[in-house]
Structures are given as C-alpha cells and as structure tokens.
Amino acid sequence: MSLMTAIEVSASGLSAQRRRLEVLVSNLVNADTTAPAGTEPYRRKDVVFTATRPQSTFGGELTSAMEGVNGVEVSEIVTDQSDPVRRYEPGHPHADKDGYVTYPNINPMEEMVNMLSASRSYEANLQAVNAAKDMAQKTLDIIR
C-alpha cells in the first residue's frame, strides 16, 4: 500500500467521522425540543457507514497490494422510528388536550458517548495521516 493510499483511506475516515459528529450534535441540540400538539417532534438520526475502495493510483494499478484496503463513507442517514417520550406538563404551550408534551426519544448521555467515540476515531485517523506524511517527508530527506 502506498503512502498516498494510506492518506486517502484515513481522509475518508476523517470525513465520515466529521459527518457523524454533525449528526450527533444535531441530536443533542434537539434532545429537549418540543413540537406543537398534533405534530411530530424531532427524531434522532444516525449515520450508516459503508466500505469504499480508494481511488486507483499509478502504483496501485501495477501491483495487487490494494487488495483488502478500504476506506469508509457515509452511505445514508437513518431516522430513529421509536416512539417519542410523553411527559405530563399541562402548563406547557405545546401540551395536548390531556396535558402531555411529546419530546424526542433521545438520551443525552448516549449521544455524548457516541460523540466521544466519533471524536476518538477522528483523532486516530488524523494521527494516521500525520504518520504517513512524516514517512513521506523522511523518504524525501533520505533521497536528498
């Protein structure tokens, strides 16, 4: 595997984890939002990753070293179909005729753990990119 392929694979991971963080932040921000009675509240979203082949480089065309090397991309964003949470709050402006307000079924602690996981994955991909850049720089230094 070439250094450019390693950078490309890590870059795809950076992009995918950035998108995952955006979706998780959106979930966290909307955890306590309400909607007027009779309308749907915000629904939790999550990303689905799929493996992708890196673009072929000249060196990759000459060797079969690229077998088994995959990057990642966000293939879709799915919406959680679980029922919203109903809380009895008769004085709330969005309460229905029975006094219940519907909230999204989002656990803020779970979202924070997912954000921590995405952040760590992002950092790991960034370190891999930096390691590949350092190796390329050292290779150039040796050639000089």
Side-chain angles (χ1 to χ4, degrees), residues 81-95:
Q81 296 302 316
S82 63
D83 293 332
V85 177
R86 294 184 68 205
R87 296 183 195 151
Y88 184 69
E89 297 176 12
H92 194 283
H94 292 156

Side-chain angles (χ1 to χ4, degrees), residues 1-13 52-72 125 128-129 132-133 135-136:
M1 177 169 65
S2 73
L3 292 177
M4 293 308 292
T5 302
I7 290 172
E8 186 179 345
V9 168
S10 294
S12 71
T52 60
R53 302 279 303 160
Q55 293 179 356
S56 297
T57 61
F58 180 70
E61 293 295 329
L62 296 177
T63 66
S64 63
M66 301 249 314
E67 293 298 321
V69 176
N70 289 317
V72 66
N125 281 300
V129 167
K133 283 181 8 185
M135 285 189 276

Side-chain angles (χ1 to χ4, degrees), residues 99-115:
Y100 286 94
V101 179
T102 55
Y103 287 89
N105 191 6
I106 297 174
N107 181 350
M109 292 304 276
E110 182 180 337
E111 298 302 315
M112 290 298 292
V113 169
N114 289 336
M115 286 176 64

Side-chain angles (χ1 to χ4, degrees), residues 9-24 47-50 52 71-75 118 121-122 125:
V9 168
S10 294
S12 71
L14 287 170
S15 178
Q17 292 300 334
R18 179 189 50 81
R19 184 67 181 124
R20 180 179 175 210
L21 275 169
E22 290 172 354
V23 170
L24 292 169
V47 296
V48 176
F49 295 142
T50 56
T52 60
V72 66
E73 71 178 5
V74 175
S75 61
S121 296
Y122 188 91
N125 281 300

